[in-house]
Amino acid sequence: FAEAIGAVGYNGRFRYAYASKANAAEEVIRTTLGAGAEHEMSSTVDVNIAKLMIERGLLPPDRPVLANGFKPAGSPYSKNLLSLRQRHENLIPIIEDMSELAPFLSSGQTFELGLRQKTYGKYTNQAEMDAANSRFGMDSDDIWKTADYIHAAPNLSLVMYHAMVGSQLTDIEEFVQWLSPGMEMYARLRKRFNTLNAFNWGGGTPVPMTLDFSYDYVGFA
């Protein structure tokens, strides 16, 4: 990504977040954090991992921690996130259902939040994304409603948009096509909410599953 950023003159930052659900072994988490990766969580177990890394001095205060996954009010996950926020200021819960807002709104703490788009597949426009049957986030109407609620809340701010595109898409042109509707939604949201500053695409780029695997990461970037 550094090579591609230099080639095209991109003025922003590329940030990588490692999802601890992929491999929760301590030596893996320790290595990703040591390499400068941000930390991504999906369940209350992941929060406990983050707390352990904080206690051991491996997750510094300035390192963003992203919280994906369903976290309704009263759930162990949402309660654990409120507890983590007291230890780690740079925590970004990513909302994928409007019901998840309540615990953060009433927490008495300030939160930067993300929104997760309902997309998981090859869609050429927003209407196709909204029609998809997906467990990964909200449709467009709920995205806009939730963004307005966050904007109106005195203790919340919208900083991230997350498009879930799946994983192991080895056709680069196809991968970019999958990302395009989410990029358009991000741009539209950014025009209304100037606190929004991060486009987060999830599922990741392809990784080796066989010894003969190869992928043009610079070409994709």
Side-chain angles (χ1 to χ4, degrees):
F1 272 85
E3 183 177 337
I5 286 169
V8 302
Y10 178 61
N11 293 321
R13 289 179 56 207
F14 172 73
R15 298 156 53 183
Y16 173 76
Y18 177 75
S20 55
K21 68 179 181 182
N23 187 331
E26 183 191 359
E27 59 270 28
V28 175
I29 305 298
R30 188 172 63 241
T31 300
T32 58
L33 291 175
E38 298 174 9
H39 191 66
E40 189 266 310
M41 309 181 298
S42 299
S43 71
T44 192
V45 173
D46 295 316
V47 180
N48 293 336
I49 291 172
K51 288 180 176 179
L52 182 62
M53 294 298 105
I54 291 169
E55 291 171 3
R56 296 187 177 178
L58 298 172
L59 183 53
D62 63 342
R63 189 72 55 83
V65 175
L66 314 181
N68 281 326
F70 190 48
K71 41 198 168 295
S75 66
Y77 189 16
S78 66
K79 291 178 181 178
N80 213 359
L81 287 173
L82 297 181
S83 172
L84 177 62
R85 176 63 180 80
Q86 296 175 0
R87 305 189 193 188
H88 194 83
E89 184 174 346
N90 207 341
L91 170 64
I92 306 176
I94 299 175
I95 305 300
E96 53 186 270
D97 186 270
M98 293 176 69
S99 66
E100 297 178 16
L101 271 182
F104 305 109
L105 182 61
S106 62
S107 66
Q109 304 177 88
T110 59
F111 276 95
E112 293 185 331
L113 299 177
L115 296 176
R116 199 177 198 186
Q117 179 72 60
K118 178 182 178 181
T119 175
Y120 192 68
K122 183 178 180 180
Y123 307 114
T124 58
N125 57 55
Q126 201 70 46
E128 289 186 14
M129 285 171 59
D130 289 343
N133 181 16
S134 169
R135 67 182 177 90
F136 291 109
M138 295 176 276
D139 61 21
S140 297
D141 286 344
D142 282 349
I143 284 279
W144 287 106
K145 289 177 185 177
T146 308
D148 284 333
Y149 286 141
I150 293 171
H151 182 69
N155 64 323
L156 306 178
S157 60
L158 177 62
V159 299
M160 180 175 288
Y161 169 87
H162 180 195
M164 178 65 187
V165 297
S167 60
Q168 300 305 309
L169 294 172
T170 56
D171 185 301
I172 291 175
E173 185 177 344
E174 183 180 25
F175 201 160
V176 173
Q177 189 175 26
W178 284 32
L179 281 171
S180 293
M183 291 179 173
E184 291 170 5
M185 173 59 89
Y186 171 80
R188 290 168 58 203
L189 285 165
R190 180 66 176 80
K191 287 182 178 180
R192 184 185 297 184
F193 307 102
N194 60 13
T195 56
L196 183 62
N197 58 33
F199 176 79
N200 173 353
W201 46 275
T205 50
V207 296
M209 296 294 186
T210 60
L211 293 176
D212 61 351
F213 176 85
S214 64
Y215 188 75
D216 183 7
Y217 291 103
V218 176
F220 167 75

